[in-house]
């Protein structure tokens, strides 16, 4: 599988989680740097951004709900966890990450902040890498993960 050189960043992937928290903080603060545009483009961005924040929130929260007792903040799955393939995990393999990406893009649009939008793109690249590291661990733990991976998008429903 591609990505076998991605670092663990801790026994459970704790470093991945810490980097994620730093990125969230940077995106949140960078929203204060806006607005970079005004008038009707700003109004349209606010509306579209609010929809993305809402959709992202639903996707991420549904991912949390679907995982239930399997939920961990770290990318390495819990010992004894089961592979979840239903609910939001039927649409994408990493709905929480996908929802957070959509929410970050929405935040950048709502705040009209190019810095926040740039941060959202960095977050998307980060979650792509983190999900690849996580999938190495998932493949080790679940023999059926390869089949699930081949039929399900990675982060964003119907897109990627």
């Amino acid at each position: 599988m591609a990505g076998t050189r991605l670092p663990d960043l801790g026994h459970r992937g704790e470093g991945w989680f810490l980097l994620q928290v730093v990125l969230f903080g940077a995106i949140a603060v960078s929203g204060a740097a806006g607005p970079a545009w005004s008038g009707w483009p700003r109004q349209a961005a606010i509306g579209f951004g609010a929809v993305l924040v809402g959709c992202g929130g639903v996707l991420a929260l549904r991912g949390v709900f679907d995982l239930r007792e399997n939920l961990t903040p770290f990318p390495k799955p819990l010992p004894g966890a089961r592979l979840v393939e239903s609910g939001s995990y039927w649409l994408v393999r990493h709905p929480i990450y996908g929802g957070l990406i959509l929410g970050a893009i929405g935040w950048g649009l709502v705040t009209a902040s190019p810095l926040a939008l740039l941060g959202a793109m960095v977050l998307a690249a980060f979650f792509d890498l983190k999900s690849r590291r996580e999938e190495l661990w998932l493949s080790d733990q679940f023999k059926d993960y390869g089949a699930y991976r081949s039929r399900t998008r990675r982060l964003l429903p119907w897109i990627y």
Side-chain angles (χ1 to χ4, degrees):
M1 177 177 176
T4 56
R5 296 183 194 271
L6 290 170
D8 293 353
L9 300 182
H11 176 69
R12 302 281 326 269
E14 299 88 349
W16 287 100
F17 177 72
L18 290 174
L19 288 169
Q20 175 180 318
V21 170
V22 169
L23 281 171
F24 288 155
I27 292 167
V29 170
S30 66
W37 57 86
S38 61
W40 73 264
R42 174 95 195 270
Q43 297 307 311
I46 289 171
F48 186 59
V51 168
L52 287 178
V53 168
C55 290
V58 168
L59 184 60
L61 289 174
R62 181 61 198 250
V64 168
F65 175 78
D66 291 337
L67 274 182
R68 293 185 182 91
E69 68 278 352
N70 298 298
L71 182 65
T72 175
F74 307 119
K76 188 171 186 179
L78 294 169
R82 66 177 181 81
L83 180 61
V84 177
E85 300 179 54
S86 59
S88 59
Y89 290 86
W90 180 78
L91 290 172
V92 288
R93 300 189 304 270
H94 303 279
I96 299 170
Y97 300 165
L100 293 171
I101 291 167
L102 291 175
I105 295 168
W107 172 250
L109 291 172
V110 166
T111 61
S113 171
L115 285 175
L117 288 170
L118 177 63
M121 296 303 110
V122 171
L123 184 70
F126 171 80
F127 276 138
D128 184 67
L129 292 172
K130 183 180 177 188
S131 68
R132 289 173 191 275
R133 174 61 261 184
E134 185 171 341
E135 289 187 350
L136 293 170
W137 280 317
L138 289 164
S139 294
D140 288 345
Q141 189 162 335
F142 304 110
K143 64 178 175 61
D144 296 338
Y145 194 79
Y148 170 63
R149 183 178 59 234
S150 69
R151 69 176 178 270
T152 313
R153 301 279 184 174
R154 182 183 300 273
L155 295 168
L156 300 172
W158 308 287
I159 299 171
Y160 177 71

